[in-house]
Amino acid sequence: IAVGAGLVRRLRDPVLLEAAERVLAKVAAVLPEARRSGIVSAPFYVSDGSAALPTGVSLAELRRAIREERKVRMTYADVEGRRTERTVWPIAMAYYVDATVLGAWCELRGDYRDFRVERVLTSTVLDDTFPAGRGALAEGWFAQQRTRTRSA
């Protein structure tokens, strides 16, 4: 649990960090005193993540949109700074050491796309829901991720 909390810290997501610290505090509170130090000051090191902090999007709002299957309208800048307006169907969050990515179905491209959250300039969770359930979309997105991982 302490390692997991350390890994959550590297995500640099304040809402998830607060939740992880609450869980860690609850676990420490019920442990016998002799075991408590192994949780509070565990003998391991988890490096800081290097993912850039997003400024144009709330990660908590993206997670809410995923849970509620709501579309998100956003202004996105690619690696070269070109801006596009997109409406996406958010499927999953992928947390890497160096980036946080929103996996989504993109209406503009008519395909699955991954969006680095630090490149989202503005975003709004819409009242519109997906026309199809997230389960089938998620299966397609995860299959695409596995294919990319094998070919990399």
Side-chain angles (χ1 to χ4, degrees), residues 81-137:
R82 293 179 298 237
R83 295 176 180 212
T84 55
E85 296 292 323
R86 312 251 183 158
T87 299
V88 300
W89 309 351
I91 299 166
M93 300 290 293
Y95 295 96
Y96 301 102
V97 173
D98 61 342
T100 300
V101 173
L102 171 67
W105 179 266
C106 177
E107 289 184 356
L108 178 66
R109 300 291 184 228
D111 199 1
Y112 295 105
R113 289 290 189 264
D114 294 336
F115 300 96
R116 292 179 65 120
V117 296
E118 78 273 10
R119 294 185 188 155
V120 176
L121 304 174
T122 63
S123 66
T124 304
V125 176
L126 304 175
D127 290 333
D128 298 342
T129 56
F130 308 168
R134 184 171 51 99
L137 288 170

Side-chain angles (χ1 to χ4, degrees), residues 3-70:
V3 171
L7 291 171
V8 168
R9 276 188 209 102
R10 77 175 355 170
L11 301 178
R12 306 177 79 186
D13 182 325
V15 175
L16 287 182
L17 175 59
E18 183 181 323
E21 292 191 358
R22 280 194 316 266
V23 167
L24 197 56
K26 287 177 183 178
V27 169
V30 298
L31 286 175
E33 185 68 38
R35 296 275 198 187
R36 199 169 296 155
S37 67
I39 292 289
V40 176
S41 58
F44 60 82
Y45 174 73
V46 176
S47 67
D48 292 336
S50 59
L53 292 172
T55 57
V57 64
S58 160
L59 299 180
E61 284 295 303
L62 286 180
R63 286 191 302 274
R64 180 178 67 87
I66 291 168
R67 280 191 313 275
E68 296 176 0
E69 299 183 0
R70 297 203 176 276

